Amino acid sequence: MEVGYGTTIIMTNEGKLYGWGTNQYSELCFNGQKIASPTVIPTFGKKVKKVFYQMFTSVFLTEDGEVYFCGRGFTSTGQSYLGNKIDISVLDPTDPIEDIAILHASLVFRTRLGNLYSMGYNGHGSLGLGDTNDRTVPTLISSLKNAGTIITKICAGTRHVIALSSIGKVYQWGTPCVGITATAETLGTTTGLTVSNSPIRFIGNDIENYKIVDIFCGGASNIAISDNGVVFGWGKSQLFGPAGSSFATPTKLVLP
């Protein structure tokens, strides 16, 4: 199930998709009209394996490894799309897509072998490619691959991405709601940036002493959980602290 921004999408065990909601940018694959009750979503003649939704865009990963989308899409124009196929021919066919994170007008793909590719609007550095240039096709985030980092999970906020490595380390890039401090180690860029257009890993911080096993993202906040149940939070604090406060780096949360 995917829920957010006035839209709900559910998938049955048989792979059938139903959706309802505002459909403001045709994200339910119908042309602009509000969908008031659960309605079958057309699936382009394909069997869908996974569905992803955020920021008025729905993305569908099919059983045969193809990727389609409906809704706002991955440019800064806000144009609506109905069932467009994403060209993923640049990816290694022996390393298929396993997971997708959606941001504001951009996408990050995680493959079976733990490599990351990104595409779309990059004005906030959220593609993790070391610049702010848009990409029209999936592009390898080479800094992680070159460092031998295998990514096991990704999640995204509105303008930032969090990635979890196979050894329990957490990486972040894009525009967070608060500044990334000099306790963050970058891969090929400088530290102390509010906007990081390359993946960074927090060091000199308590989270480095733990093996992280799961991550979660809100629009401007993040949660990480260690293998022994310690919870860290950073970003805007509505999820884990007094309203209006924020944490620039992962902070251990005291649970009741």
Side-chain angles (χ1 to χ4, degrees), residues 88-97 112 117:
I88 58 171
S89 59
V90 297
L91 275 68
D92 181 350
T94 67
D95 187 20
I97 294 170
R112 182 175 297 168
Y117 294 78

Side-chain angles (χ1 to χ4, degrees), residues 23-244:
N23 198 38
Q24 182 177 351
Y25 290 92
S26 302
E27 59 268 26
L28 293 175
C29 305
F30 294 96
N31 195 13
Q33 71 268 32
K34 181 178 179 180
I35 308 298
S37 60
T39 302
V40 175
I41 296 176
T43 55
F44 336 108
K46 299 285 185 175
K47 185 173 182 181
V48 173
K49 179 170 67 172
K50 293 182 180 179
V51 59
F52 309 87
Y53 175 79
Q54 187 170 220
M55 297 299 297
F56 304 108
T57 301
S58 303
V59 178
F60 307 92
L61 177 61
T62 68
E63 290 281 1
D64 57 3
E66 294 181 340
V67 181
Y68 295 81
F69 72 94
C70 294
R72 188 167 181 166
F74 311 109
T75 68
S76 58
T77 63
Q79 178 180 350
S80 296
Y81 296 87
L82 286 172
N84 287 47
K85 183 179 178 181
I86 295 175
D87 181 5
I88 58 171
S89 59
V90 297
L91 275 68
D92 181 350
T94 67
D95 187 20
I97 294 170
E98 287 285 318
D99 198 9
I100 300 172
I102 309 174
L103 304 87
H104 171 67
S106 54
L107 281 177
V108 177
F109 304 92
R110 181 182 63 83
T111 69
R112 182 175 297 168
L113 297 180
N115 296 310
L116 298 187
Y117 294 78
S118 58
M119 64 172 289
Y121 175 66
N122 196 28
H124 307 293
S126 49
L127 298 187
L129 298 171
D131 56 46
T132 54
N133 301 322
D134 297 351
R135 302 297 198 281
T136 58
V137 296
T139 303
L140 177 68
I141 301 180
S142 58
S143 61
L144 289 171
K145 184 176 178 63
N146 293 342
T149 304
I150 298 171
I151 299 300
T152 57
K153 185 174 181 179
I154 52 175
C155 67
T158 305
R159 298 174 177 176
H160 76 282
V161 180
I162 302 294
L164 177 64
S165 78
S166 58
I167 60 172
K169 303 303 179 184
V170 178
Y171 295 81
Q172 174 175 318
W173 62 93
T175 305
C177 62
V178 291
I180 299 170
T181 73
T183 58
E185 175 190 41
T186 65
L187 300 175
T189 60
T190 59
T191 59
L193 301 176
T194 300
V195 179
S196 175
N197 53 33
S198 291
I200 61 168
R201 179 171 64 87
F202 290 105
I203 62 171
N205 181 278
D206 201 20
I207 196 172
E208 191 69 7
N209 300 319
Y210 292 83
K211 181 179 181 181
I212 301 302
V213 295
D214 213 347
I215 53 173
F216 304 90
C217 297
S221 52
N222 313 289
I223 294 288
I225 302 175
S226 75
D227 59 351
N228 58 353
V230 176
V231 180
F232 292 87
W234 67 103
K236 285 189 177 179
S237 65
Q238 283 90 337
L239 291 180
F240 44 78

